[in-house]
Amino acid sequence: MDPHLLRTFAAVARLASFSAAARELGYTQSAVSQHIAALEADLGTGLLTRRPVAPTPAGHRLLEHTAPLLLRIDAARADVRRLAAAPPGRLTLAASPLAVGPALLAALPATGVELRVVPPAAVPAAVATGGCDLGLTDGTAAPSDPLRLPDVAPLAVTGVAEEPLAVLLPAGHPFAGRAALRLDDLADARWLDAPHVGLAPPAAARTTPALRYDGTDLYALCSLAAAGHGLALLPRRVAEAAAARAAGAAVPLAGTRLVHRTELITPRTPAPAAAALAARLTAPA
C-alpha cells in the first residue's frame, strides 16, 4: 500500500470530507478522490461511503492499521536521517508532566536544551519520528518492571527513577488524616480523569470518574484535587508538595506493589548532545 494513499484516506476519514482533506493536504479534490479510488482498487473493497463520508467496516479495520503504519514510516525516515548527519540546532527533550522531576532537573545543562512537556503517550512517537532528540515518560508499574510503551520504532528504553505513590485529596476529606490508604479504602472514590498529566488510578479503585481535565498543567490538576473535584494519584513527593501549597492532604498508598516509574527513551543512534544528557540521566545517584 502506498503511504501517500494511506495518509489521504486517514485525512478523509478523520475530517469526513473529501474537500476538507484536499485543503489540509494541499491537493485538489479530484486528486483526493483518485487516491481513495486507487486504494480501494488495491484492496478490492470499498473503504468509504460517499454520502455521508464515513468509513465502511473495511475502512474501520484499515484505520486500525493506518496510524501505526504511518508512524513507523516516519520513524524509519527519522532514524536514517540521524545516521546521515547529527541534527542541527538545540537539543530537544520531550517529557511528560510527572517525568519533570529531580533526576531531570539535576541533569539538565544550563543552556542548549528545549524542553517540551507533552502527554505521556506522545513521548515515544516524538522521539521515534525525530521531533525530539530524547524523551522521558512515566506511569505506574511494579518495582523494576518496565512501562508498557507502544512499539512505534526500535528505541532504547532505560529506567531512570521509581518513587512511592500517594493520593492527593482535599484537607476536609474523611481520609485526610489517615497514615496510609489501601485500594480497598478507595473502591468507591471519585477520581479525576486527567489522561494527559496524572496517573490512572489502579484498576481496583477505578470505579467513579469525576471531573475530566484535558490539560498538561500539573499545578491545575493538583488544585482541582485539593479543591475536592476528585482524587488524584501522584508520586508521593509531588502529592506532598501540592498538599502543602494548595491546602490539601497527601496520603501514601499502601498495600500495593505499584510505584511511579520514569523511563528514558532514546533513538538507537542519538546525537552526541543527546547521548551526553542520557548518560547524566541514567547515571547512578
Side-chain angles (χ1 to χ4, degrees):
M1 286 180 287
D2 187 329
H4 296 292
L5 304 185
L6 285 175
R7 291 188 193 278
T8 301
F9 167 68
V12 174
R14 174 168 49 83
L15 297 170
S17 168
F18 280 68
S19 58
R23 288 192 297 272
E24 179 177 282
L25 298 171
Y27 297 148
T28 64
Q29 185 169 337
S30 175
V32 169
S33 296
Q34 291 172 15
H35 283 191
I36 299 303
L39 188 59
E40 289 178 328
D42 180 24
L43 294 174
T45 186
L47 299 173
L48 294 164
T49 60
R50 272 33 177 196
R51 289 186 178 84
V53 176
T56 65
H60 279 295
R61 183 60 56 87
L62 180 59
L63 282 173
E64 295 176 5
H65 297 281
T66 297
L69 284 170
L70 294 177
L71 179 58
R72 201 63 184 247
I73 290 170
D74 290 340
R77 182 182 294 112
D79 206 20
V80 171
R81 286 175 175 170
R82 287 190 189 101
L83 282 176
R90 297 167 62 85
L91 173 65
T92 304
L93 169 68
S96 54
L98 287 172
V100 183
L104 174 59
L105 298 178
L108 282 177
T111 59
V113 176
E114 177 184 344
L115 176 63
R116 297 180 187 172
V117 179
V118 300
V123 175
V127 178
T129 58
C132 294
D133 299 290
L134 67 167
L136 281 171
T137 191
D138 74 287
T140 55
S144 301
D145 279 0
L147 299 176
R148 295 181 179 178
L149 301 180
D151 181 19
V152 296
L155 299 170
V157 181
T158 308
V160 172
E162 291 185 351
E163 305 174 78
L165 296 166
V167 180
L168 180 63
L169 35 74
H173 194 280
F175 292 155
R178 295 278 191 94
L181 286 170
R182 302 176 65 86
L183 293 182
D184 290 347
D185 301 324
L186 304 169
D188 297 317
R190 296 173 62 251
W191 293 89
L192 284 167
D193 182 9
H196 303 318
V197 58
L199 300 174
R206 196 183 310 153
T207 56
T208 311
L211 182 146
R212 179 179 176 86
Y213 174 61
D214 266 331
T216 58
D217 186 335
L218 183 56
Y219 176 78
L221 173 68
C222 294
S223 297
L224 287 168
H229 293 287
L231 308 186
L233 185 66
L234 297 165
R236 185 171 176 176
R237 60 173 175 83
V238 175
E240 290 176 346
R245 182 177 61 245
V251 183
L253 186 64
T256 176
R257 295 185 64 245
L258 291 177
V259 296
H260 174 252
R261 180 175 171 88
T262 303
E263 292 184 345
L264 173 69
I265 301 174
T266 60
R268 290 186 300 176
T269 54
L277 178 54
R280 290 195 294 272
L281 284 166
T282 55

